[in-house]
């Protein structure tokens, strides 16, 4: 169960494997290679060096590493890069705490037997009462990571999506934007609530013709953006900025915007929420609201392991603040 073995399994160097598993650099390997390395680490049950040193020194572990199930409640990593980065941060944190992932499953696919055999469960993304009830029937050690409190009787690690949206809108407003379009989910979505609340408190009427409901797919994003742009060109709509519910949507909007004439590109500001790695690898660089997924993952693992060891019994809720990351996609008017 060594770095050398993982390197041989994945056809890369030991140093690359070490950098990936320690998350020392996001650019040390391609995403495909990083995924292969993590898959190999899970396959052989790799544990970090401190566990190996303990064995060499004759220290016998009193118990096997905690087995953790990670359940995606909303979307897969392929559909939303933010959840891919959050999951990778969870893997790093679990590895550093000598815990192991027992199973990775979407909410619809996780089985009762898998949940029962796990020492604890981490839920990623907004969770329904039905799913949580099903999980709690099989496992009482549960922590959820999501943007807003679900008011469940379980430990939560959150970063308020409504506050993030209001921060994004406040920044656009400070640049002089008052006619701001919205592209994203509108159903029970805290970011949409934050968008509307900011307009209301700023005494700006909500123009529903500027709101486009999407489910984060490229096709729906394209239809939404090009529809807004066409109506702007014909004089039926007037807007100077677009608030996208997440970076994945915003990055596709920027890609579509780059195809337009320079005067059109410079006339529309774009802002979003998440601050995924790709936000720094696009043109222009994306202005966004940073959600601290690494810290959220770290505290979620700490909370879960503490609950497993009966370190705390009462429900704990930890809220992380978001912050604005100013880059190049927003302009003063």
């Amino acid at each position: 169960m060594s770095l050398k073995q993982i390197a041989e399994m994945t056809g890369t160097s030991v140093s690359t494997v070490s950098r990936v598993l320690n998350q020392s650099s996001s650019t040390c390997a391609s995403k495909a290679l990083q995924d292969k390395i993590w898959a190999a680490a899970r396959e052989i049950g790799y544990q970090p060096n401190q566990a190996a040193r303990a064995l060499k020194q004759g220290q016998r572990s009193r118990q096997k590493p905690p087995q953790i199930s990670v359940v995606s409640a909303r979307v897969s990593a392929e559909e939303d890069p933010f959840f891919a980065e959050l999951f990778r941060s969870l893997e790093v944190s679990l590895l550093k705490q000598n815990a192991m992932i027992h199973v990775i499953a979407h909410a619809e696919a996780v089985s009762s037997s898998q949940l029962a055999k796990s020492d604890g469960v981490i839920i990623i993304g907004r969770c329904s009462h039905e799913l949580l009830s099903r999980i709690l029937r099989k496992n009482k050690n549960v922590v959820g990571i999501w943007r807003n409190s679900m008011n469940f009787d379980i430990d939560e690690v959150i970063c308020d999506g409504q506050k993030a949206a209001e921060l994004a809108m406040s920044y656009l407003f400070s640049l002089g934007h008052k006619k701001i379009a919205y592209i994203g989910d509108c159903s029970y979505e805290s970011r949409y609530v934050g968008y509307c609340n900011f307009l209301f408190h700023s005494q700006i009427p909500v123009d529903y013709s500027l709101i486009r409901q999407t489910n984060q797919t490229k096709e729906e994003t394209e239809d939404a953006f090009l529809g807004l742009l066409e109506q702007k060109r014909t004089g039926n709509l007037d807007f100077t900025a677009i608030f996208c519910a997440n970076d994945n949507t915003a990055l596709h909007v920027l890609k579509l915007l780059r195809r337009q004439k320079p005067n059109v590109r410079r006339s529309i500001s774009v802002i979003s929420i998440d601050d995924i790695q790709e936000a720094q690898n696009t043109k222009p660089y994306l202005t966004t609201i940073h959600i601290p997924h690494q810290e959220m993952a770290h505290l979620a693992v700490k909370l879960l392991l503490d609950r497993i060891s009966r370190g705390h019994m009462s429900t704990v809720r930890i809220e992380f603040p978001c912050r604005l990351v100013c880059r190049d996609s927003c302009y003063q008017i």
Side-chain angles (χ1 to χ4, degrees), residues 69 102-103 110-118 134 138-139:
S69 287
H102 171 60
V103 65
V110 66
S111 71
S112 297
S113 60
Q114 289 171 330
L115 294 172
K117 291 177 181 177
S118 300
R134 182 159 68 90
K138 296 298 179 180
N139 200 309

Side-chain angles (χ1 to χ4, degrees), residues 1-2 41 44-52 65 94-95 97-100:
M1 296 191 295
S2 67
I44 68 173
Y46 172 75
Q47 290 291 286
N49 288 337
Q50 56 261 37
L94 287 166
L95 191 64
Q97 295 297 321
N98 292 320
M100 299 180 66

Side-chain angles (χ1 to χ4, degrees), residues 273-293:
I273 294 173
D274 282 340
D275 195 23
I276 62 175
Q277 292 177 8
E278 190 61 27
Q280 303 176 61
N281 299 321
T282 188
K283 291 183 180 180
Y285 296 153
L286 178 63
T287 296
T288 184
I289 305 301
H290 177 76
I291 305 297
H293 63 79

Side-chain angles (χ1 to χ4, degrees), residues 19 37 54 68-69 76 85 93 97 120 133 136 161 181 203 206 233 245 249 256-257 259 262-263 291 295 306:
R19 285 194 292 269
I37 289 171
I68 308 300
S69 287
S76 68
E85 294 182 15
S93 295
Q97 295 297 321
S133 297
L136 288 174
Q203 298 183 332
V206 177
R233 280 173 176 160
T249 298
L256 296 169
L257 200 53
R259 300 174 185 173
N263 64 316
I291 305 297
E295 292 84 354
D306 190 63

